[in-house]
Amino acid sequence: MRGRQWSGFWFVAPFLLLYLAFLVVPLLLGLKMSLTNQSITGAGSDAWVGLDNYTELLGDPAVWRSLWNTLVFTLLSTPPLVAIGLGLALLTHRKLPAAWLFRLAFFAPYLLPVSVVVLIWTWLYQPGFGLINDTLAWLGLGEVGWLSDNGVLMVSIVVTTVWWTAGFNYLLYLAGLQEVPRELHEAAALDGAGGWARLRSITLPLLRRTHVLVLVLQILASLKVFDQVYLLTGGTNPEVRSIVQYIYESGFTKFRVGYAAAISYLFFALIVLLAVVQFRILRARQERLS
């Protein structure tokens, strides 16, 4: 019996070693780094400062402003990304001519690198000749400084992100719809249930696990926003700077690796707290429904 248990251990040992080498050890080294005054230039390396970095970040307004920007982006981008992914999946799950072409078209933007996406939308947002402002002028409306007006800059970033990444949620929902038994829809149709009633009473409840998966992955992805914000704004606008960008600036622009590690751990703690709250809410809701 004991030999059988050890044989199972050797099967998981390679994955356990990789887990320790690439997750646990870097996590502990990063925590140690956050308690030092380590610089990327080597100056002050291993100088132990204790909790000074954490004390400093609590009084750093740029940290809280960046966190707030990240939360605003998450709140603005998550609902349309989930709703559009579900809507596109429902449209192309039906029997349509050339359905593969629609599926490819809806998922294709997700395959583009962020530099290409930013280049496309920078041209679309341009004043004078950009397609969006040109359309507004054709409708008799004034031009909008999509990338220069701080009042709409966050909206521009959200629109770009939704166009770029909605295809991932679309793919998850499309896979979830494949698991919904057609017999249930056929039986409900025979009982006189219309399309909306079948969607509300059959499809959406049976997609419950997909909803949870999409929502969790989308919130985590939105909290890590960096690339498109940095490239669209040139990384110089604090009005939309995300917390990941501020960590990057602290570590690689100001050369304060220890301080950047401390901000990273604050962000990590907030993500864990958010995940626990989200898990408890979803579990309580699932228990009520069951």
Side-chain angles (χ1 to χ4, degrees):
M1 183 66 181
R2 179 173 297 177
R4 190 177 297 176
Q5 289 176 347
W6 276 107
S7 65
F9 170 78
W10 293 117
F11 277 109
V12 301
F15 303 100
L16 183 61
L17 287 175
L18 290 174
Y19 182 79
L20 291 172
F22 293 103
L23 185 65
V24 177
V25 172
L27 203 64
L28 295 176
L29 290 177
L31 182 60
K32 177 189 173 185
M33 190 183 297
S34 72
L35 301 174
T36 68
N37 194 26
Q38 187 166 338
S39 168
I40 199 171
T41 62
S45 296
D46 298 330
W48 187 266
V49 296
L51 297 177
D52 286 359
N53 286 330
Y54 292 93
T55 305
E56 181 181 345
L57 71 86
L58 291 177
D60 186 352
V63 170
W64 303 109
R65 183 59 185 268
S66 303
L67 269 178
W68 173 250
N69 292 337
T70 304
L71 291 175
V72 169
F73 173 83
T74 302
L75 290 174
L76 290 178
S77 64
T78 299
L81 278 167
V82 174
I84 291 174
L86 175 60
L88 295 178
L90 290 171
L91 284 175
T92 54
H93 183 62
R94 306 170 63 181
K95 290 184 179 179
L96 295 172
W100 65 270
L101 184 60
F102 289 102
R103 293 179 180 183
L104 177 63
F106 292 151
F107 182 68
Y110 186 71
L111 301 176
L112 296 175
V114 64
S115 55
V116 175
V117 172
V118 169
L119 186 63
I120 292 172
W121 281 91
T122 300
W123 278 86
L124 291 175
Y125 287 140
Q126 285 298 315
F129 61 89
L131 179 62
I132 297 175
N133 275 325
D134 198 37
T135 304
L136 291 177
W138 181 73
L139 293 173
L141 302 173
E143 290 189 346
V144 177
W146 298 103
L147 298 178
S148 58
D149 185 352
N150 287 335
V152 296
L153 184 53
M154 183 63 80
V155 176
S156 305
I157 296 169
V158 169
V159 170
T160 302
T161 305
V162 169
W163 179 84
W164 178 31
T165 61
F168 182 71
N169 293 338
Y170 160 69
L171 202 64
L172 292 177
Y173 273 120
L174 198 60
L177 286 172
Q178 309 294 327
E179 302 297 324
V180 178
R182 291 183 178 274
E183 294 79 10
L184 292 178
H185 281 278
E186 293 171 356
L190 289 175
D191 289 338
W196 171 247
R198 295 200 300 273
L199 173 66
R200 189 184 56 187
S201 304
I202 298 175
T203 305
L204 293 181
L206 290 180
L207 286 175
R208 189 179 306 144
R209 292 185 177 178
T210 308
H211 295 320
V212 174
L213 176 65
V214 169
L215 193 60
V216 170
L217 292 180
Q218 186 54 61
I219 288 177
L220 292 178
S222 294
L223 287 173
K224 294 187 297 181
V225 63
F226 170 62
D227 310 36
Q228 61 270 43
V229 179
Y230 190 83
L231 293 176
L232 278 171
T233 64
T236 58
N237 194 333
E239 297 296 324
V240 292
R241 178 172 55 195
S242 68
I243 187 65
V244 177
Q245 181 182 335
Y246 190 61
I247 293 170
Y248 164 78
E249 291 175 359
S250 299
F252 295 97
T253 304
K254 301 177 182 176
F255 308 128
R256 299 187 63 195
V257 180
Y259 186 58
I263 303 174
S264 300
Y265 272 86
L266 170 70
F267 187 44
F268 175 70
L270 290 177
I271 289 179
V272 171
L273 178 63
L274 185 64
V276 170
V277 171
Q278 186 180 10
F279 176 74
R280 287 184 176 275
I281 292 174
L282 292 175
R283 189 175 65 175
R285 185 178 179 184
Q286 190 169 2
E287 288 175 353
R288 284 200 305 271
L289 291 175
S290 60

